[in-house]
Structures are given as structure tokens and as C-alpha cells.
Amino acid sequence: MTKDNYQISKKRIAPFYILISIILMWFIGIQLFGPDERDAGAKPENIIYSGTFTWEKPDGSSEKISVPGHYDVSPEERMRMISIFHTLRLTNSFPMS
């Protein structure tokens, strides 16, 4: 065998290098000019969950709890938690006809 068998044509390798160059330029461009992970105008109240968590106990009672937290639950018992989102009431500002 000679080295000629392992030579790759420049016509075949050029599209590969062009593609890799385009991907590299796209990646660098997105890193420099793309959007951040978090919007600078984001308000903390929109990021932090403002709902409540309720623990429904096996005996039928319920208790508001904070998450994260530590609670006495035996390994055989299931801890059923319900999350309640605060709802926004909108009023109709247009006259009904």
C-alpha cells in the first residue's frame, strides 16, 4: 500500500472545513450577541413562585406547608402535596352591549 490510497481530495474536504467554519462563527456570534439566559428586565416576583403548597394527610386533614422543608412522614406513608397558584382577576373595562 502506498500513501496515495489515504489521500483525500481537496474538493471533498473543502465543504467540510467550510461547514465547520460556519458553525464556529455562528456559535461565537450567538455567544457574543445572543440573548442572555435571563432577561435583564425580568422582575423577581415573576421568577419566584408565589403560590402555596398544601399537604393533604391520609386522615383527610390538610396543612399549609413551606417548601423546601422537613416533615415527619413514615416511609410507608405517601405525602400528597397540592400546589395552588394565585389567580388574577380581570375586570371588563368595556361596556357590555
Side-chain angles (χ1 to χ4, degrees):
M1 290 191 156
T2 63
K3 288 186 177 181
D4 295 335
N5 293 342
Y6 296 105
Q7 287 184 351
I8 299 174
S9 169
K10 288 185 179 183
K11 290 182 181 179
R12 286 187 175 184
I13 197 102
F16 172 75
Y17 284 121
I18 291 170
L19 178 65
I20 294 299
S21 299
I22 291 170
I23 291 172
L24 181 64
M25 287 186 291
W26 172 81
F27 180 77
I28 292 171
I30 289 296
Q31 289 294 317
L32 294 176
F33 305 111
D36 292 334
E37 289 181 6
R38 190 175 293 174
D39 185 15
K43 298 176 184 174
E45 57 267 13
N46 294 339
I47 297 170
I48 298 171
Y49 177 73
S50 60
T52 58
F53 287 94
T54 304
W55 174 17
E56 282 192 353
K57 298 180 180 180
D59 62 358
S61 64
S62 61
E63 174 186 343
K64 282 190 178 181
I65 60 173
S66 63
V67 174
H70 296 282
Y71 304 97
D72 292 327
V73 181
S74 66
E76 298 85 26
E77 185 181 339
R78 290 185 181 178
M79 185 174 185
R80 180 176 173 177
M81 294 174 37
I82 297 175
S83 176
I84 301 170
F85 295 101
H86 294 293
T87 57
L88 178 64
R89 291 186 180 182
L90 299 176
T91 57
N92 190 354
S93 60
F94 300 104
M96 301 288 286
S97 53

